[in-house]
Amino acid sequence: MNSGKLVLAEDETTDNVKWMFRMYLEGKGFDAIARTLTREGCPTPAQVIGKKNAGLYWQGTSIKKILTNPHYVGELVQGRQTTVSVTSKVREEIPREMQIITENAHQALISREDFEAVQQYMKGRKRQQAKPKAKKHLFTNYLFCADCGKGYVCGNYYKHGKHVCSQHSVKEKELIEVILTDIRSSAEMLNENEIMGRLEVKTVQARKQAEKQMQLLQRRIEKMKEQKTGLIRLLASGTIT
């Protein structure tokens, strides 16, 4: 920012933004661009501003935000998003005709032609790639890659490439069979009488605990009754009003 206007940073970030637009127009998708930037060691936006706990890897969502940001063509745009309600943090896009737009507010980094080409190309690709949501697998959020800690079908490899994690996966069918085998083995070793005995012991313990709690409450009630009787006597004798 200089005299109230945005100015181009004198570092590699400007070249990285131009590179993103070029790669997208060459046919690369958001995640592919993210993998390329990560592989080349380009700092993420969070790393550039020195944000605490900044991620090491570029994400496809970050690429999309940059490619759709009109600030790069010299426009100052306000009111691009709004919250759906005062009680929600969910945000939604505001139609362009309702946004506050100041053209040529600062030096452009991307040409208008390239920016519009990317937007049109993006719309076309979105129509072509429209497909049903992926099926949620049985072990999602329960099993994780032992090497990088991501999903049991390693998402880190598919998103960021082999320099982040190796290519490996486990078939869901094999996992199900292993778990079912363990369950069957455990079921065969169960002794019905032993289980019933344990349940009976727990029931007796719970009953004794409940009886103990009832006795404690009963004593408190009796004590309060005695206090009430004493107060009534004091009231009758005129000692208290």
mmCIF file of all heavy atoms in Angstrom, residues 171-208:
data_model
loop_
_atom_site.group_PDB
_atom_site.id
_atom_site.type_symbol
_atom_site.label_atom_id
_atom_site.label_comp_id
_atom_site.label_asym_id
_atom_site.label_seq_id
_atom_site.Cartn_x
_atom_site.Cartn_y
_atom_site.Cartn_z
ATOM 1 N N LYS A 171 -7.164 -51.477 0.169
ATOM 2 C CA LYS A 171 -8.486 -51.719 -0.382
ATOM 3 C C LYS A 171 -9.505 -51.877 0.745
ATOM 4 O O LYS A 171 -9.265 -52.564 1.739
ATOM 5 C CB LYS A 171 -8.479 -52.980 -1.251
ATOM 6 C CG LYS A 171 -7.689 -52.812 -2.549
ATOM 7 C CD LYS A 171 -7.785 -54.055 -3.411
ATOM 8 C CE LYS A 171 -7.037 -53.854 -4.732
ATOM 9 N NZ LYS A 171 -7.102 -55.053 -5.590
ATOM 10 N N GLU A 172 -10.646 -51.209 0.576
ATOM 11 C CA GLU A 172 -11.690 -51.253 1.599
ATOM 12 C C GLU A 172 -12.167 -52.686 1.835
ATOM 13 O O GLU A 172 -12.422 -53.082 2.981
ATOM 14 C CB GLU A 172 -12.858 -50.369 1.166
ATOM 15 C CG GLU A 172 -13.946 -50.227 2.226
ATOM 16 C CD GLU A 172 -15.039 -49.258 1.780
ATOM 17 O OE1 GLU A 172 -15.881 -49.670 0.972
ATOM 18 O OE2 GLU A 172 -15.025 -48.108 2.231
ATOM 19 N N LYS A 173 -12.278 -53.462 0.785
ATOM 20 C CA LYS A 173 -12.747 -54.844 0.914
ATOM 21 C C LYS A 173 -11.832 -55.651 1.822
ATOM 22 O O LYS A 173 -12.292 -56.450 2.650
ATOM 23 C CB LYS A 173 -12.830 -55.487 -0.477
ATOM 24 C CG LYS A 173 -13.389 -56.903 -0.473
ATOM 25 C CD LYS A 173 -13.491 -57.448 -1.896
ATOM 26 C CE LYS A 173 -14.033 -58.877 -1.893
ATOM 27 N NZ LYS A 173 -14.121 -59.423 -3.268
ATOM 28 N N GLU A 174 -10.503 -55.443 1.684
ATOM 29 C CA GLU A 174 -9.543 -56.175 2.514
ATOM 30 C C GLU A 174 -9.664 -55.754 3.974
ATOM 31 O O GLU A 174 -9.579 -56.582 4.884
ATOM 32 C CB GLU A 174 -8.126 -55.926 1.999
ATOM 33 C CG GLU A 174 -7.880 -56.498 0.606
ATOM 34 C CD GLU A 174 -6.498 -56.144 0.083
ATOM 35 O OE1 GLU A 174 -5.753 -55.451 0.804
ATOM 36 O OE2 GLU A 174 -6.166 -56.552 -1.035
ATOM 37 N N LEU A 175 -9.858 -54.440 4.212
ATOM 38 C CA LEU A 175 -10.014 -53.954 5.574
ATOM 39 C C LEU A 175 -11.247 -54.550 6.235
ATOM 40 O O LEU A 175 -11.213 -54.967 7.393
ATOM 41 C CB LEU A 175 -10.123 -52.423 5.573
ATOM 42 C CG LEU A 175 -8.823 -51.649 5.399
ATOM 43 C CD1 LEU A 175 -9.139 -50.168 5.237
ATOM 44 C CD2 LEU A 175 -7.898 -51.854 6.572
ATOM 45 N N ILE A 176 -12.346 -54.577 5.494
ATOM 46 C CA ILE A 176 -13.598 -55.126 6.034
ATOM 47 C C ILE A 176 -13.412 -56.592 6.418
ATOM 48 O O ILE A 176 -13.854 -57.029 7.485
ATOM 49 C CB ILE A 176 -14.740 -54.977 5.001
ATOM 50 C CG1 ILE A 176 -15.091 -53.488 4.821
ATOM 51 C CG2 ILE A 176 -15.976 -55.763 5.443
ATOM 52 C CD1 ILE A 176 -16.103 -53.233 3.722
ATOM 53 N N GLU A 177 -12.725 -57.353 5.571
ATOM 54 C CA GLU A 177 -12.530 -58.776 5.835
ATOM 55 C C GLU A 177 -11.665 -58.990 7.083
ATOM 56 O O GLU A 177 -11.948 -59.870 7.905
ATOM 57 C CB GLU A 177 -11.878 -59.443 4.625
ATOM 58 C CG GLU A 177 -11.820 -60.960 4.720
ATOM 59 C CD GLU A 177 -13.196 -61.578 4.900
ATOM 60 O OE1 GLU A 177 -14.162 -61.102 4.271
ATOM 61 O OE2 GLU A 177 -13.298 -62.554 5.682
ATOM 62 N N VAL A 178 -10.633 -58.175 7.241
ATOM 63 C CA VAL A 178 -9.764 -58.291 8.421
ATOM 64 C C VAL A 178 -10.552 -58.012 9.701
ATOM 65 O O VAL A 178 -10.457 -58.744 10.695
ATOM 66 C CB VAL A 178 -8.575 -57.301 8.312
ATOM 67 C CG1 VAL A 178 -7.830 -57.213 9.643
ATOM 68 C CG2 VAL A 178 -7.617 -57.753 7.218
ATOM 69 N N ILE A 179 -11.357 -56.944 9.679
ATOM 70 C CA ILE A 179 -12.126 -56.568 10.865
ATOM 71 C C ILE A 179 -13.199 -57.611 11.182
ATOM 72 O O ILE A 179 -13.404 -57.989 12.337
ATOM 73 C CB ILE A 179 -12.759 -55.176 10.663
ATOM 74 C CG1 ILE A 179 -11.654 -54.119 10.616
ATOM 75 C CG2 ILE A 179 -13.746 -54.854 11.778
ATOM 76 C CD1 ILE A 179 -12.129 -52.744 10.241
ATOM 77 N N LEU A 180 -13.883 -58.098 10.138
ATOM 78 C CA LEU A 180 -14.912 -59.120 10.365
ATOM 79 C C LEU A 180 -14.299 -60.398 10.929
ATOM 80 O O LEU A 180 -14.896 -61.069 11.789
ATOM 81 C CB LEU A 180 -15.643 -59.423 9.051
ATOM 82 C CG LEU A 180 -16.641 -58.364 8.575
ATOM 83 C CD1 LEU A 180 -17.243 -58.764 7.236
ATOM 84 C CD2 LEU A 180 -17.754 -58.160 9.601
ATOM 85 N N THR A 181 -13.113 -60.756 10.474
ATOM 86 C CA THR A 181 -12.431 -61.946 10.992
ATOM 87 C C THR A 181 -12.144 -61.797 12.482
ATOM 88 O O THR A 181 -12.341 -62.732 13.274
ATOM 89 C CB THR A 181 -11.117 -62.182 10.226
ATOM 90 O OG1 THR A 181 -11.408 -62.387 8.839
ATOM 91 C CG2 THR A 181 -10.392 -63.408 10.770
ATOM 92 N N ASP A 182 -11.688 -60.600 12.880
ATOM 93 C CA ASP A 182 -11.419 -60.343 14.297
ATOM 94 C C ASP A 182 -12.693 -60.403 15.125
ATOM 95 O O ASP A 182 -12.712 -60.949 16.238
ATOM 96 C CB ASP A 182 -10.762 -58.964 14.472
ATOM 97 C CG ASP A 182 -9.300 -58.969 14.051
ATOM 98 O OD1 ASP A 182 -8.763 -60.074 13.872
ATOM 99 O OD2 ASP A 182 -8.719 -57.878 13.900
ATOM 100 N N ILE A 183 -13.779 -59.846 14.583
ATOM 101 C CA ILE A 183 -15.060 -59.863 15.308
ATOM 102 C C ILE A 183 -15.550 -61.289 15.484
ATOM 103 O O ILE A 183 -16.018 -61.685 16.561
ATOM 104 C CB ILE A 183 -16.103 -59.008 14.572
ATOM 105 C CG1 ILE A 183 -15.718 -57.522 14.626
ATOM 106 C CG2 ILE A 183 -17.494 -59.213 15.182
ATOM 107 C CD1 ILE A 183 -16.619 -56.621 13.808
ATOM 108 N N ARG A 184 -15.443 -62.093 14.410
ATOM 109 C CA ARG A 184 -15.889 -63.494 14.503
ATOM 110 C C ARG A 184 -15.063 -64.257 15.543
ATOM 111 O O ARG A 184 -15.607 -65.059 16.310
ATOM 112 C CB ARG A 184 -15.761 -64.153 13.131
ATOM 113 C CG ARG A 184 -16.727 -63.618 12.074
ATOM 114 C CD ARG A 184 -16.691 -64.463 10.816
ATOM 115 N NE ARG A 184 -17.477 -63.860 9.747
ATOM 116 C CZ ARG A 184 -16.946 -63.204 8.703
ATOM 117 N NH1 ARG A 184 -15.621 -63.098 8.587
ATOM 118 N NH2 ARG A 184 -17.720 -62.678 7.774
ATOM 119 N N SER A 185 -13.746 -64.032 15.552
ATOM 120 C CA SER A 185 -12.876 -64.715 16.517
ATOM 121 C C SER A 185 -13.245 -64.344 17.937
ATOM 122 O O SER A 185 -13.300 -65.201 18.836
ATOM 123 C CB SER A 185 -11.410 -64.350 16.250
ATOM 124 O OG SER A 185 -11.010 -64.764 14.957
ATOM 125 N N SER A 186 -13.512 -63.052 18.148
ATOM 126 C CA SER A 186 -13.901 -62.603 19.489
ATOM 127 C C SER A 186 -15.236 -63.201 19.903
ATOM 128 O O SER A 186 -15.423 -63.606 21.058
ATOM 129 C CB SER A 186 -13.982 -61.074 19.519
ATOM 130 O OG SER A 186 -12.728 -60.491 19.223
ATOM 131 N N ALA A 187 -16.173 -63.271 18.951
ATOM 132 C CA ALA A 187 -17.497 -63.807 19.253
ATOM 133 C C ALA A 187 -17.424 -65.283 19.637
ATOM 134 O O ALA A 187 -18.146 -65.756 20.517
ATOM 135 C CB ALA A 187 -18.418 -63.616 18.052
ATOM 136 N N GLU A 188 -16.533 -66.029 18.981
ATOM 137 C CA GLU A 188 -16.410 -67.456 19.278
ATOM 138 C C GLU A 188 -15.847 -67.699 20.667
ATOM 139 O O GLU A 188 -16.121 -68.715 21.306
ATOM 140 C CB GLU A 188 -15.504 -68.114 18.226
ATOM 141 C CG GLU A 188 -16.153 -68.203 16.854
ATOM 142 C CD GLU A 188 -15.177 -68.669 15.784
ATOM 143 O OE1 GLU A 188 -13.997 -68.899 16.134
ATOM 144 O OE2 GLU A 188 -15.587 -68.803 14.624
ATOM 145 N N MET A 189 -15.036 -66.757 21.154
ATOM 146 C CA MET A 189 -14.407 -66.927 22.467
ATOM 147 C C MET A 189 -15.285 -66.439 23.611
ATOM 148 O O MET A 189 -14.979 -66.643 24.777
ATOM 149 C CB MET A 189 -13.062 -66.176 22.502
ATOM 150 C CG MET A 189 -11.996 -66.801 21.605
ATOM 151 S SD MET A 189 -10.379 -66.009 21.804
ATOM 152 C CE MET A 189 -10.723 -64.354 21.206
ATOM 153 N N LEU A 190 -16.396 -65.785 23.300
ATOM 154 C CA LEU A 190 -17.256 -65.246 24.348
ATOM 155 C C LEU A 190 -17.980 -66.363 25.099
ATOM 156 O O LEU A 190 -18.461 -67.316 24.496
ATOM 157 C CB LEU A 190 -18.286 -64.291 23.744
ATOM 158 C CG LEU A 190 -17.760 -62.939 23.265
ATOM 159 C CD1 LEU A 190 -18.890 -62.157 22.615
ATOM 160 C CD2 LEU A 190 -17.173 -62.134 24.417
ATOM 161 N N ASN A 191 -18.035 -66.237 26.408
ATOM 162 C CA ASN A 191 -18.753 -67.183 27.245
ATOM 163 C C ASN A 191 -20.005 -66.490 27.772
ATOM 164 O O ASN A 191 -19.926 -65.523 28.515
ATOM 165 C CB ASN A 191 -17.857 -67.624 28.413
ATOM 166 C CG ASN A 191 -18.525 -68.697 29.263
ATOM 167 O OD1 ASN A 191 -19.641 -68.528 29.716
ATOM 168 N ND2 ASN A 191 -17.804 -69.797 29.459
ATOM 169 N N GLU A 192 -21.175 -67.023 27.367
ATOM 170 C CA GLU A 192 -22.433 -66.356 27.724
ATOM 171 C C GLU A 192 -22.603 -66.239 29.231
ATOM 172 O O GLU A 192 -23.010 -65.202 29.750
ATOM 173 C CB GLU A 192 -23.606 -67.119 27.113
ATOM 174 C CG GLU A 192 -24.949 -66.422 27.336
ATOM 175 C CD GLU A 192 -26.084 -67.160 26.654
ATOM 176 O OE1 GLU A 192 -25.795 -68.068 25.836
ATOM 177 O OE2 GLU A 192 -27.239 -66.824 26.948
ATOM 178 N N ASN A 193 -22.307 -67.311 29.974
ATOM 179 C CA ASN A 193 -22.453 -67.282 31.428
ATOM 180 C C ASN A 193 -21.541 -66.240 32.068
ATOM 181 O O ASN A 193 -21.910 -65.552 33.030
ATOM 182 C CB ASN A 193 -22.155 -68.662 32.017
ATOM 183 C CG ASN A 193 -23.203 -69.688 31.613
ATOM 184 O OD1 ASN A 193 -24.361 -69.336 31.385
ATOM 185 N ND2 ASN A 193 -22.795 -70.946 31.516
ATOM 186 N N GLU A 194 -20.333 -66.140 31.508
ATOM 187 C CA GLU A 194 -19.372 -65.166 32.047
ATOM 188 C C GLU A 194 -19.883 -63.742 31.830
ATOM 189 O O GLU A 194 -19.803 -62.891 32.734
ATOM 190 C CB GLU A 194 -18.016 -65.342 31.363
ATOM 191 C CG GLU A 194 -16.948 -64.381 31.880
ATOM 192 C CD GLU A 194 -15.624 -64.554 31.146
ATOM 193 O OE1 GLU A 194 -15.503 -65.498 30.341
ATOM 194 O OE2 GLU A 194 -14.723 -63.727 31.378
ATOM 195 N N ILE A 195 -20.449 -63.483 30.647
ATOM 196 C CA ILE A 195 -20.965 -62.146 30.343
ATOM 197 C C ILE A 195 -22.139 -61.808 31.257
ATOM 198 O O ILE A 195 -22.223 -60.717 31.822
ATOM 199 C CB ILE A 195 -21.403 -62.064 28.867
ATOM 200 C CG1 ILE A 195 -20.177 -62.185 27.945
ATOM 201 C CG2 ILE A 195 -22.130 -60.747 28.595
ATOM 202 C CD1 ILE A 195 -20.515 -62.244 26.485
ATOM 203 N N MET A 196 -23.057 -62.775 31.438
ATOM 204 C CA MET A 196 -24.209 -62.540 32.296
ATOM 205 C C MET A 196 -23.771 -62.293 33.733
ATOM 206 O O MET A 196 -24.345 -61.470 34.461
ATOM 207 C CB MET A 196 -25.168 -63.738 32.231
ATOM 208 C CG MET A 196 -25.835 -63.938 30.875
ATOM 209 S SD MET A 196 -26.761 -62.480 30.337
ATOM 210 C CE MET A 196 -28.048 -62.435 31.591
ATOM 211 N N GLY A 197 -22.728 -63.029 34.158
ATOM 212 C CA GLY A 197 -22.205 -62.832 35.511
ATOM 213 C C GLY A 197 -21.657 -61.426 35.701
ATOM 214 O O GLY A 197 -21.892 -60.773 36.731
ATOM 215 N N ARG A 198 -20.933 -60.932 34.712
ATOM 216 C CA ARG A 198 -20.382 -59.577 34.793
ATOM 217 C C ARG A 198 -21.488 -58.531 34.836
ATOM 218 O O ARG A 198 -21.415 -57.553 35.588
ATOM 219 C CB ARG A 198 -19.469 -59.324 33.590
ATOM 220 C CG ARG A 198 -18.163 -60.102 33.608
ATOM 221 C CD ARG A 198 -17.342 -59.816 32.360
ATOM 222 N NE ARG A 198 -16.115 -60.585 32.338
ATOM 223 C CZ ARG A 198 -15.251 -60.572 31.314
ATOM 224 N NH1 ARG A 198 -15.530 -59.821 30.234
ATOM 225 N NH2 ARG A 198 -14.158 -61.286 31.352
ATOM 226 N N LEU A 199 -22.525 -58.763 34.001
ATOM 227 C CA LEU A 199 -23.644 -57.816 33.977
ATOM 228 C C LEU A 199 -24.370 -57.795 35.324
ATOM 229 O O LEU A 199 -24.780 -56.740 35.816
ATOM 230 C CB LEU A 199 -24.627 -58.189 32.859
ATOM 231 C CG LEU A 199 -24.153 -57.935 31.422
ATOM 232 C CD1 LEU A 199 -25.181 -58.477 30.436
ATOM 233 C CD2 LEU A 199 -23.942 -56.447 31.177
ATOM 234 N N GLU A 200 -24.498 -58.983 35.934
ATOM 235 C CA GLU A 200 -25.182 -59.068 37.221
ATOM 236 C C GLU A 200 -24.395 -58.330 38.307
ATOM 237 O O GLU A 200 -24.966 -57.612 39.140
ATOM 238 C CB GLU A 200 -25.365 -60.533 37.623
ATOM 239 C CG GLU A 200 -26.202 -60.708 38.879
ATOM 240 C CD GLU A 200 -26.451 -62.171 39.203
ATOM 241 O OE1 GLU A 200 -26.055 -63.031 38.389
ATOM 242 O OE2 GLU A 200 -27.047 -62.446 40.256
ATOM 243 N N VAL A 201 -23.073 -58.482 38.292
ATOM 244 C CA VAL A 201 -22.219 -57.787 39.263
ATOM 245 C C VAL A 201 -22.351 -56.276 39.115
ATOM 246 O O VAL A 201 -22.491 -55.549 40.100
ATOM 247 C CB VAL A 201 -20.750 -58.219 39.086
ATOM 248 C CG1 VAL A 201 -19.829 -57.313 39.913
ATOM 249 C CG2 VAL A 201 -20.558 -59.668 39.506
ATOM 250 N N LYS A 202 -22.346 -55.817 37.880
ATOM 251 C CA LYS A 202 -22.480 -54.378 37.636
ATOM 252 C C LYS A 202 -23.843 -53.869 38.094
ATOM 253 O O LYS A 202 -23.961 -52.759 38.618
ATOM 254 C CB LYS A 202 -22.271 -54.072 36.146
ATOM 255 C CG LYS A 202 -20.830 -54.213 35.693
ATOM 256 C CD LYS A 202 -20.672 -53.780 34.234
ATOM 257 C CE LYS A 202 -19.207 -53.870 33.798
ATOM 258 N NZ LYS A 202 -19.030 -53.437 32.383
ATOM 259 N N THR A 203 -24.891 -54.687 37.882
ATOM 260 C CA THR A 203 -26.239 -54.287 38.289
ATOM 261 C C THR A 203 -26.328 -54.155 39.810
ATOM 262 O O THR A 203 -26.902 -53.193 40.336
ATOM 263 C CB THR A 203 -27.273 -55.310 37.794
ATOM 264 O OG1 THR A 203 -27.183 -55.427 36.373
ATOM 265 C CG2 THR A 203 -28.685 -54.892 38.183
ATOM 266 N N VAL A 204 -25.738 -55.111 40.519
ATOM 267 C CA VAL A 204 -25.742 -55.075 41.983
ATOM 268 C C VAL A 204 -24.995 -53.852 42.497
ATOM 269 O O VAL A 204 -25.435 -53.162 43.420
ATOM 270 C CB VAL A 204 -25.129 -56.367 42.559
ATOM 271 C CG1 VAL A 204 -24.943 -56.239 44.072
ATOM 272 C CG2 VAL A 204 -26.005 -57.566 42.235
ATOM 273 N N GLN A 205 -23.851 -53.571 41.867
ATOM 274 C CA GLN A 205 -23.058 -52.409 42.271
ATOM 275 C C GLN A 205 -23.831 -51.112 42.047
ATOM 276 O O GLN A 205 -23.810 -50.214 42.894
ATOM 277 C CB GLN A 205 -21.739 -52.381 41.485
ATOM 278 C CG GLN A 205 -20.774 -53.491 41.870
ATOM 279 C CD GLN A 205 -19.539 -53.503 41.000
ATOM 280 O OE1 GLN A 205 -19.513 -52.907 39.904
ATOM 281 N NE2 GLN A 205 -18.486 -54.194 41.462
ATOM 282 N N ALA A 206 -24.525 -51.028 40.909
ATOM 283 C CA ALA A 206 -25.307 -49.829 40.611
ATOM 284 C C ALA A 206 -26.452 -49.659 41.607
ATOM 285 O O ALA A 206 -26.753 -48.540 42.053
ATOM 286 C CB ALA A 206 -25.847 -49.902 39.184
ATOM 287 N N ARG A 207 -27.094 -50.794 41.988
ATOM 288 C CA ARG A 207 -28.206 -50.725 42.944
ATOM 289 C C ARG A 207 -27.712 -50.268 44.316
ATOM 290 O O ARG A 207 -28.357 -49.462 44.986
ATOM 291 C CB ARG A 207 -28.898 -52.080 43.033
ATOM 292 C CG ARG A 207 -30.135 -52.047 43.943
ATOM 293 C CD ARG A 207 -30.962 -53.309 43.871
ATOM 294 N NE ARG A 207 -30.209 -54.469 44.352
ATOM 295 C CZ ARG A 207 -29.814 -55.480 43.575
ATOM 296 N NH1 ARG A 207 -30.095 -55.475 42.285
ATOM 297 N NH2 ARG A 207 -29.144 -56.502 44.081
ATOM 298 N N LYS A 208 -26.582 -50.806 44.774
ATOM 299 C CA LYS A 208 -26.028 -50.418 46.066
ATOM 300 C C LYS A 208 -25.678 -48.928 46.074
ATOM 301 O O LYS A 208 -25.907 -48.228 47.072
ATOM 302 C CB LYS A 208 -24.776 -51.241 46.368
ATOM 303 C CG LYS A 208 -25.078 -52.694 46.733
ATOM 304 C CD LYS A 208 -23.800 -53.439 47.057
ATOM 305 C CE LYS A 208 -24.093 -54.880 47.474
ATOM 306 N NZ LYS A 208 -22.851 -55.637 47.786
#
